[in-house]
Amino acid sequence: MADVEAMCIAAGKSMGMEIECFQANGEGELVDRIQSARGVFDGIAINAGAYTHTSIAILDALLAVSLPAVEVHLSNVYQRETFRHSSYLAKAAVGVIAGFGTQSYILALHALNHRLTQSTHA
């Protein structure tokens, strides 16, 4: 995980973004962190693991903060079990990146950066 965080921080820096990483196993911790993002962060890249397919609470938190969010998956969920083809979080996401391993995080950061810079220049 430390390697992935370092990779994300370096990629963000190259795009002029300050990246803060957070990992938790509990749904409540994720909800709390998302809710605390409003007014602090400009966007969210989130890999919610299995909570992607089960958590209305995380969906509600993402909708409540009104920040652009990109849903991230390391694997191609459409090559996996059928239940993984459905995402609660996609409703709150501006996009979904899946199937590129740890590079999925970098692609998500590029997507967020593009979204944020397009918003400020539109």
Side-chain angles (χ1 to χ4, degrees), residues 16-22 33-47 61-62 65-72 92-95 105 108-117 119-120:
M17 300 168 72
E18 185 177 334
I19 305 299
E20 185 172 311
C21 301
F22 177 77
R33 184 61 171 214
I34 292 165
Q35 289 174 334
S36 70
R38 178 186 274 155
V40 178
F41 298 105
D42 296 322
I44 297 171
I46 182 167
N47 179 346
L62 289 169
V65 297
S66 300
L67 293 172
V70 176
E71 181 181 325
V72 178
V94 296
Y105 291 108
L109 294 177
H110 278 286
L112 273 175
N113 187 50
H114 178 73
R115 179 67 170 231
L116 293 168
T117 57
S119 301
T120 58

Side-chain angles (χ1 to χ4, degrees), residues 16 25 29 39 48-49 55 58 63-66 76-77 79 83 94 96 98 103 105:
N25 293 322
E29 293 172 276
S55 182
I58 293 175
L63 290 171
V65 297
S66 300
N76 180 347
V77 295
Q79 292 180 338
F83 75 87
V94 296
V96 178
Q103 190 66 25
Y105 291 108

Side-chain angles (χ1 to χ4, degrees), residues 53-115:
H53 321 291
T54 63
S55 182
I56 295 168
I58 293 175
L59 166 62
D60 286 347
L62 289 169
L63 290 171
V65 297
S66 300
L67 293 172
V70 176
E71 181 181 325
V72 178
H73 301 280
L74 300 180
S75 65
N76 180 347
V77 295
Y78 298 102
Q79 292 180 338
R80 299 186 65 191
E81 304 90 344
T82 304
F83 75 87
R84 296 187 193 277
H85 301 178
S86 177
S87 166
Y88 281 106
L89 308 188
K91 181 173 177 57
V94 296
V96 178
I97 307 287
F100 296 96
T102 56
Q103 190 66 25
S104 294
Y105 291 108
I106 305 307
L107 294 170
L109 294 177
H110 278 286
L112 273 175
N113 187 50
H114 178 73
R115 179 67 170 231

